[in-house]
């Protein structure tokens, strides 16, 4: 456990983290748009909208970026426009097909580093940018990027985690923080072949049937992302904090709110866990079983001494508003 933090205070820090707070805004939006109805044309609640298409699925997702982030690190914001969208597609067991962007800037000079980031990431990941919207005469800068992908009949979803499953975390630790932000960058400066090969792990797991439930680790951090997975699947579980893969020298409290460029949580039947761990290990990606799921619908964390703390009780309060009827939305 990080110096100066006990398990109870750390659980509170996770609940109060900015990334988790942003997820709490989802419920009202979903309700207003009517997306939580079982009669919705395409049920939502995952990293992407999964649209049945022939013998598989089209996957469709979008990411918008904080204007403060775009202003402070425009190149990386553009780069992330590609990177995080491709990660969302992979999280559901899909392969990306194409992206479009929507960019507002005050002038062409301000837009240039954002476009450079988009272009460089697209080349490295081997994904085409096929169009979008550009306004270089806006009063403020903003960026959003959308992606289209395809998956087979087997999806990795947020709804299929089951009691008794192992909770596995896989994170590429070969990176660095882009200070002062909580972004762990294991992507820029890396060979495109490695990036593409790493992303291919997730659809490979889906196609093989080794895993049915997974999520991309988001701005909510490792535990915050686990909360969304557990809620959507109507399960609870215990997370061993000291088992979470973590870079050497990075304090646990900081790492728990980090957004890794390659990071996934997977709910895996124990019979399949050794094979899943081996696939990530073969590509030098840090991976570990970090917890166990149960039927309690209560998410807890545990430290090395065995002391536990409740992070969220879904029987009392929802986080993003999914799980009760097998639906919800992750936006």
């Amino acid at each position: 456990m990080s110096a100066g933090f006990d398990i109870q205070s750390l659980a509170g820090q996770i609940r109060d983290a900015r990334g988790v707070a942003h997820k709490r805004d989802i419920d009202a939006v979903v309700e207003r748009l009517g997306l939580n109805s079982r009669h919705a044309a395409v049920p939502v609640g995952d990293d992407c909208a999964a649209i049945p298409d022939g013998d598989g699925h089209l996957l469709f997702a979008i990411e918008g970026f904080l204007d403060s982030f775009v202003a402070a690190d425009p190149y990386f914001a553009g780069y992330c426009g590609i990177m995080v969208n491709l990660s969302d597609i992979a999280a559901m067991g899909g392969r990306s097909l194409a992206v479009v962007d929507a960019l507002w800037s005050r002038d062409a000079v301000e837009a240039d580093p954002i476009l450079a980031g988009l272009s460089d990431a697209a080349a490295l990941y081997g994904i085409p940018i096929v169009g979008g919207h550009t306004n270089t005469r806006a009063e403020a800068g903003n960026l959003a990027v959308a992606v289209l992908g395809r998956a087979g009949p087997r999806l990795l979803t947020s709804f299929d985690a089951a009691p008794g499953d192992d909770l596995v975390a896989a994170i590429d630790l070969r990176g660095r923080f882009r200070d002062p932000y909580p972004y762990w960058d294991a992507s820029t400066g890396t060979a495109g072949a490695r990036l593409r090969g790493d992303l291919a792990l997730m659809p490979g797991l889906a196609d093989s049937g080794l895993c049915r439930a997974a999520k991309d680790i988001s701005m909510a951090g490792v535990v915050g992302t686990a909360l969304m997975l557990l809620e959507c699947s109507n399960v609870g579980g215990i997370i061993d904090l000291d088992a979470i893969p973590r870079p050497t020298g990075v304090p646990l409290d900081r790492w728990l709110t980090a957004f890794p460029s390659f990071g996934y949580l997977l709910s895996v039947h124990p019979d399949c866990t050794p094979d899943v761990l081996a696939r990530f290990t073969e590509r030098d990606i840090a991976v570990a079983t970090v917890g166990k799921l149960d039927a309690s619908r209560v998410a807890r964390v545990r430290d090395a001494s065995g002391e536990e703390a409740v992070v969220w009780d879904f029987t009392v309060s929802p986080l993003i508003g999914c799980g009760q009827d097998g639906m919800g939305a992750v936006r």
Side-chain angles (χ1 to χ4, degrees), residues 35-57:
L35 299 179
N36 55 357
S37 168
R38 281 192 176 274
H39 304 292
V42 178
V44 293
D46 270 307
D47 291 275
C48 308
I51 306 166
D53 181 60
D55 61 353
H57 299 81

Side-chain angles (χ1 to χ4, degrees), residues 13-100:
Q13 177 181 313
I14 295 167
R15 282 192 299 272
D16 297 337
R18 183 182 185 185
V20 173
H22 282 177
K23 300 303 180 183
R24 298 207 69 184
D25 297 339
I26 292 171
D27 193 21
V29 176
V30 170
E31 180 70 26
R32 184 66 181 86
L33 293 177
L35 299 179
N36 55 357
S37 168
R38 281 192 176 274
H39 304 292
V42 178
V44 293
D46 270 307
D47 291 275
C48 308
I51 306 166
D53 181 60
D55 61 353
H57 299 81
L58 290 175
L59 301 177
F60 193 27
I62 187 170
E63 293 283 349
F65 296 88
L66 294 172
D67 53 1
S68 58
F69 171 46
V70 177
D73 198 347
Y75 176 86
F76 192 55
Y79 191 98
C80 285
I82 301 293
M83 180 184 73
V84 299
N85 269 298
L86 303 194
S87 185
D88 283 343
I89 294 290
M92 291 196 67
R95 296 167 175 88
S96 296
L97 299 175
V99 298
V100 295

Side-chain angles (χ1 to χ4, degrees), residues 198-263:
D198 290 349
L199 276 185
L201 285 167
M202 298 302 289
L205 289 172
D207 293 345
S208 68
L210 287 173
C211 175
R212 292 187 60 204
K215 284 199 74 65
D216 169 52
I217 297 174
S218 71
M219 286 293 294
V222 174
V223 178
T225 299
L227 296 180
M228 293 186 287
L229 176 62
L230 269 55
E231 181 181 14
C232 286
S233 290
N234 279 319
V235 298
I238 184 76
I239 300 170
D240 289 305
L241 294 175
D242 291 277
I244 295 171
R246 176 164 44 116
T248 301
V250 175
L252 178 61
D253 56 299
R254 185 180 191 192
W255 189 240
L256 290 179
T257 58
F259 178 26
S261 58
F262 183 102

